[in-house]
Structures are given as structure tokens and as C-alpha cells.
Amino acid sequence: MKTKIVVDSSSNLYALPGVDFACVPLKIVTDEGEYLDTAELDAVGMAQTLRSYKGKTGTSCPNVADWLAAYEGAEEVFVVTITGTLSGSYNRQEHEGARVFVLDSLSAGPECRLLAERLAALVQAGCAFDDAAERILAYHRHTHLLFSLESLANLARNGRVKPAV
């Protein structure tokens, strides 16, 4: 049975050795252009541009075609997404001919990476699909990410928080 682990790019994980793996990019959108969140993105340059940008900014979750391409060829798919409260990334839960388990990380970044790495260990150990799903849920109950943002400006510009905040 071909098993694949798929994450969205909020995990900052672009390769996961030892397992079949795909990272589906989120998009950062301005009135002047679009940044595709891939390993090739100049994140520092983008952040500098956005820091001084006065127009509207936004984000876009991967489209259905991006998810389907990532799932391609797998019979079992484990997906870890950015928190469903910030993105529609979590909504892609089906793929014809495959069992799909989607885990809403309720987080972003390093916590998504921890979850994907734990899934990789379970898959490499030969853990059955349902057992791996139960184990990752149990592990997730004990992972928590705390972080702070340098600025809420971009979140306010794209409507994620109220500008008064």
C-alpha cells in the first residue's frame, strides 16, 4: 500500500526523507503580485516588501488541483494543515481511490513539522493507517505552539484581525 504524507507550506517543511512526501504551497497575495510559498521563495525579501507595502494583502489556501496533484498515486494519505481557523487548507479531505486522514494542526509552522515528522516515523515503522491516525491524534493532544508576531499589520490588512487591534 502506497502511503504519502502531505503538508501545506505553513509547516516550512519542503522535504521529508524516508517517506513519500509532498508540500502544497499557500499563496501570499497583494494588489501588485502573488508570492507562492515554496522552498525557492525569498522569504526575507518578501517580508521586507510587505513591511513597507501600504496596499491590501491576503493569503490563499491551495486550490483543489494542488491538493489532488499532491495526493496523486497514493492509496493512503496523511495530511497536516495550518489551523482551520486561519485557512481553508483543512477543507480538502477526499481523494477518489485513497483513504485520506486530515489533521487540523490548530497551529502553524514548527508544530505542523513535528506532526509530519511523527507521522513519518509511524509510516516508516509500518503502522497501519487507522492505528497511525489514532496515534497522531494522541500525540497532537500533547503538542502546543506559542509564538508572537513582530507586527499585526499584515493580519489587519488582510482582514484576519480588526485594524483597531
Side-chain angles (χ1 to χ4, degrees), residues 3 50 75 115 133 143 162:
T3 302
L50 291 178
E75 297 167 84
L115 294 165
T143 61
K162 294 180 181 178

Side-chain angles (χ1 to χ4, degrees), residues 46-142:
M46 179 195 71
Q48 289 171 339
T49 299
L50 291 178
R51 209 172 278 121
S52 62
Y53 183 71
K54 300 298 181 206
K56 184 175 167 102
T57 63
T59 57
S60 174
C61 64
N63 63 44
V64 173
D66 294 335
W67 286 112
L68 292 176
Y71 295 177
E72 193 61 39
E75 297 167 84
E76 298 177 337
V77 183
F78 291 100
V79 184
V80 179
T81 69
I82 188 172
T83 179
T85 59
L86 288 179
S87 173
S89 196
Y90 176 70
N91 295 329
R92 185 67 209 148
Q93 300 183 23
E94 297 177 5
H95 184 60
E96 190 173 326
R99 294 182 72 191
V100 179
F101 175 82
V102 181
L103 178 60
D104 180 347
S105 71
L106 304 175
S107 189
E111 189 166 353
C112 295
R113 182 183 190 118
L114 283 173
L115 294 165
E117 289 172 345
R118 179 57 65 103
L119 276 168
L122 292 169
V123 168
Q124 289 170 330
C127 201
F129 186 83
D130 291 332
D131 189 35
E134 285 180 34
R135 288 182 183 206
I136 198 64
L137 286 171
Y139 179 73
H140 184 235
R141 284 192 288 275
H142 300 286

Side-chain angles (χ1 to χ4, degrees), residues 9-45:
S9 61
S10 73
S11 67
N12 295 319
L13 181 64
Y14 301 101
L16 193 56
V19 295
D20 196 3
F21 174 79
C23 177
V24 183
L26 298 165
K27 297 172 185 124
I28 300 92
V29 182
T30 71
D31 294 331
E32 296 174 357
E34 181 177 280
Y35 298 91
L36 195 59
D37 188 12
T38 65
E40 293 78 31
L41 175 67
D42 175 10
V44 172

